[in-house]
């Protein structure tokens, strides 16, 4: 059952960029939609479960949720710059590498020489896969530049904090439902801060600001499942399963959002996805 729960984030996080991509709007509209939709899921979970949470864990969860917005803002901006089908694989690899290292070094989830060898070889396979998905021919309108990569790398720090969140001592002994709502409130808070700080208060009058809540509902369901999976399987295994969203988002970016790829680029993309999936699965044996 734990492994089935671990697959829910792959679906929810895979469909989210496709939903927000079809709805459209700015990165501000999309970020607020995620925060609001996720908070709705958090409120529903809280009302149904009536969980208890300590004051310290509550506010720590709010801060972690707010920091997560850094990673998601980076993704939404990158979706606009280079497209969903290129952003998702690169972001996935950056998250896999960072979170696997965090899990192995800080939480000791890779024990012994054999586990470390399997883990790092698998990571190398995943990195090669990401490089293949970013192959661009001269006729392509959206190339992945060094600046695009560095921007994603810097903003991914927010994702690393979020993914390690279920195992951090402050919340490790808390109810998964108890820490979920404050974390979603933190995401909503972060999205509002981003809206105001970027000078886009007028976005609250835009239709897309609220339609993108649909994407937030998809993301919120995935996030709730991830917390349970992280506690049951460990952050490395749970995260690896969740990142199967790369298949849905990348292929969906081409066929649903109609992002242009030449036949050669598509061949490299498919091969890259296969390597990412193989490497990700291999990590579960570390």
């Amino acid at each position: 059952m734990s492994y089935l729960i671990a697959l829910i984030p792959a679906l929810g996080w895979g469909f989210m960029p496709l939903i927000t991509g079809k709805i459209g709007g700015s990165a501000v509209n999309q970020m607020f939609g995620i925060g609001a939709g996720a908070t709705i899921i958090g409120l529903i979970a809280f009302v149904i479960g009536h969980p208890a949470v300590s004051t310290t864990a509550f506010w720590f969860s709010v801060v972690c949720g707010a920091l997560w917005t850094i990673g998601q803002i980076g993704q939404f901006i990158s979706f606009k710059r280079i497209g969903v089908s290129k952003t998702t694989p690169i972001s996935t690899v950056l998250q896999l590498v960072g979170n696997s290292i965090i899990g192995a070094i800080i939480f000791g989830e890779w024990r012994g020489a054999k586990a470390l060898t399997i883990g790092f070889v698998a990571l190398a396979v995943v990195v090669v896969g990401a490089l293949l998905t970013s192959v661009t021919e001269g006729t392509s309108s959206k190339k992945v530049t060094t600046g695009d990569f560095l921007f994603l790398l810097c903003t991914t720090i927010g994702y690393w904090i979020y993914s390690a969140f279920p195992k951090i001592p402050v919340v490790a002994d808390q109810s998964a439902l108890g820490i979920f709502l404050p974390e979603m409130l933190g995401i909503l808070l972060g999205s509002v801060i981003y809206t105001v700080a970027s000078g886009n208060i007028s976005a609250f009058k835009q239709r897309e600001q609220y339609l993108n809540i649909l994407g937030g509902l998809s993301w919120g369901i995935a996030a709730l499942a991830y917390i349970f999976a992280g506690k049951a399987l460990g952050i490395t295994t749970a995260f690896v399963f969740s990142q199967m969203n790369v298949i849905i988002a990348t292929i969906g970016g081409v066929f649903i959002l109609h992002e242009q790829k030449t036949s050669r680029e598509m061949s490299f993309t498919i091969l890259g996805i296969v390597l990412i999936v193989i490497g990700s699965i291999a990590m579960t044996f570390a």
Side-chain angles (χ1 to χ4, degrees):
M1 180 60 73
S2 296
Y3 287 98
L4 290 176
I5 293 174
L7 287 173
I8 295 175
L11 296 173
W13 288 338
F15 283 113
M16 181 275 289
L18 304 181
I19 294 171
T20 57
K22 291 298 285 185
I23 291 172
S26 66
V28 169
N29 297 146
Q30 294 169 331
M31 189 63 248
F32 176 80
I34 297 300
T39 298
I40 290 172
I41 298 298
L43 288 169
I44 292 172
F46 185 84
V47 170
I48 293 175
H50 298 292
V53 60
S54 69
T55 301
T56 300
F58 180 93
W59 289 111
F60 183 79
S61 300
V62 170
V63 172
C64 282
L67 289 174
W68 173 89
T69 60
I70 296 172
Q72 191 58 54
I73 289 168
Q75 268 207 359
F76 280 137
I77 292 176
S78 295
F79 289 161
K80 302 292 186 183
R81 290 180 177 177
I82 60 176
V84 172
S85 61
K86 287 190 175 74
T87 297
T88 303
I90 296 173
S91 178
T92 294
V93 169
L94 291 175
Q95 293 175 65
L96 276 169
V97 172
N99 285 297
S100 296
I101 292 174
I102 290 172
I105 296 177
I106 298 179
F107 299 118
E109 293 185 356
W110 290 352
R111 299 181 184 277
K114 180 180 178 181
L116 288 171
T117 300
I118 293 174
F120 284 109
V121 169
L123 280 179
V125 172
V126 167
V127 170
V128 172
L131 291 175
L132 290 175
T133 64
S134 64
V135 169
T136 305
E137 293 189 310
T139 55
S140 178
S141 60
K142 292 184 178 181
K143 297 183 179 181
V144 181
T145 66
T146 301
D148 293 326
F149 177 82
L150 291 177
F151 177 73
L152 267 175
L153 175 62
C154 291
T155 54
T156 298
I157 293 173
Y159 281 145
W160 292 343
I161 294 172
Y162 169 75
S163 295
F165 172 68
K167 300 287 284 187
I168 295 175
V170 176
V171 297
D173 60 346
Q174 297 288 313
S175 160
L177 283 179
I179 60 178
F180 183 67
L181 176 58
E183 189 184 11
M184 298 305 101
L185 290 171
I187 292 173
L188 179 59
L189 174 63
S191 69
V192 172
I193 291 174
Y194 172 59
T195 301
V196 175
S198 61
N200 288 289
I201 298 179
S202 61
F204 288 107
K205 299 178 181 179
Q206 296 170 352
R207 182 168 173 263
E208 291 82 1
Q209 186 88 340
Y210 304 100
L211 286 178
N212 274 295
I213 290 176
L214 293 173
L217 295 175
S218 176
W219 190 92
I221 292 171
L224 179 60
Y226 177 78
I227 290 179
F228 284 101
K231 283 181 171 292
L233 303 174
I235 66 166
T236 301
T237 301
F239 187 78
V240 165
F241 270 83
S242 74
Q243 292 309 292
M244 294 300 102
N245 75 80
V246 68
I247 300 173
I248 298 172
T250 303
I251 301 300
V254 175
F255 292 103
I256 296 178
L257 300 182
H258 306 295
E259 296 175 354
Q260 297 299 313
K261 279 184 179 289
T262 65
S263 58
R264 182 170 178 269
E265 288 174 348
M266 195 63 195
S267 297
F268 277 114
T269 295
I270 292 173
L271 178 58
I273 290 174
V274 170
L275 290 179
I276 291 173
V277 171
I278 291 173
S280 299
I281 294 173
M283 275 186 239
T284 65
F285 295 97

